[in-house]
Amino acid sequence: MYSVDLKNNYSLAVFMDDGNRLIGPHEIFPGWGTHRLNIRGMGDLAFFDLGDYKIARFTNKDIPWTLYTWGGLIRYRGQEAYFRYEGNGVVNVELDRWGGVKLNFPQGGMMVRLEDLVVV
C-alpha cells in the first residue's frame, strides 16, 4: 500500500470516511488504501487502491513508471489522477485555503480522464 502525506490549509473542516476523523493541518497516513476525504463545501476526494491492476489505456512501455507493480486512482470534482509505484509509494496532497487540491506522485503519476456516465 501507499502512504498519504497531507497538508491541509483549507478554511473549512475536512473529514475522513463519513466524518469518523477530523483532519488536522498536517497528517501522514501510512498504508492508506481506499478512503475518502470530505472537503466541506467542495465534495469528496476519493482514493482508490488499485493493487496490481493496471488501467490498460494509461499503460505505456515507453513510460516506465506506468509499468510499476502497484497503483492507485484519485477522483475529485470530475477529474482523475492515476499513479503507480514500487515498494512503499507516497502520495503528497496539499489542500489550499479554498479547497483546491495539489497532488504529487514521487514515483510517477498523471492526470487522466475517466467517464462518469456512459450511455450505450
Side-chain angles (χ1 to χ4, degrees):
M1 284 193 188
Y2 60 97
S3 297
V4 168
D5 186 327
L6 174 66
K7 292 180 179 62
N8 178 13
N9 301 306
Y10 191 45
S11 55
L12 298 174
V14 176
F15 292 92
M16 185 171 85
D17 295 335
D18 296 319
N20 69 356
R21 180 173 177 182
L22 180 65
I23 304 301
H26 185 214
E27 305 259 357
I28 296 175
F29 300 97
W32 181 254
T34 297
H35 289 282
R36 287 180 303 113
L37 294 178
N38 177 259
I39 303 167
R40 293 291 159 102
M42 296 298 289
D44 287 340
L45 180 63
F47 296 77
F48 298 92
D49 184 353
L50 300 179
D52 62 359
Y53 176 81
K54 291 179 176 69
I55 301 175
R57 65 182 159 164
F58 307 125
T59 304
N60 184 323
K61 64 178 177 54
D62 295 325
I63 306 173
W65 68 262
T66 67
L67 303 175
Y68 289 171
T69 305
W70 311 109
L73 179 71
I74 299 172
R75 301 188 87 182
Y76 184 59
R77 301 178 51 86
Q79 298 185 45
E80 295 87 20
Y82 178 61
F83 64 96
R84 308 242 20 114
Y85 61 94
E86 291 293 351
N88 297 317
V90 175
V91 175
N92 298 305
V93 180
E94 184 174 346
L95 300 177
D96 71 19
R97 181 180 192 138
W98 314 115
V101 176
K102 292 181 186 174
L103 300 172
N104 173 267
F105 308 107
Q107 293 193 47
M110 64 182 158
M111 295 289 298
V112 297
R113 180 69 181 121
L114 299 176
E115 298 79 16
D116 288 330
L117 176 70
V118 176
V119 176
V120 292

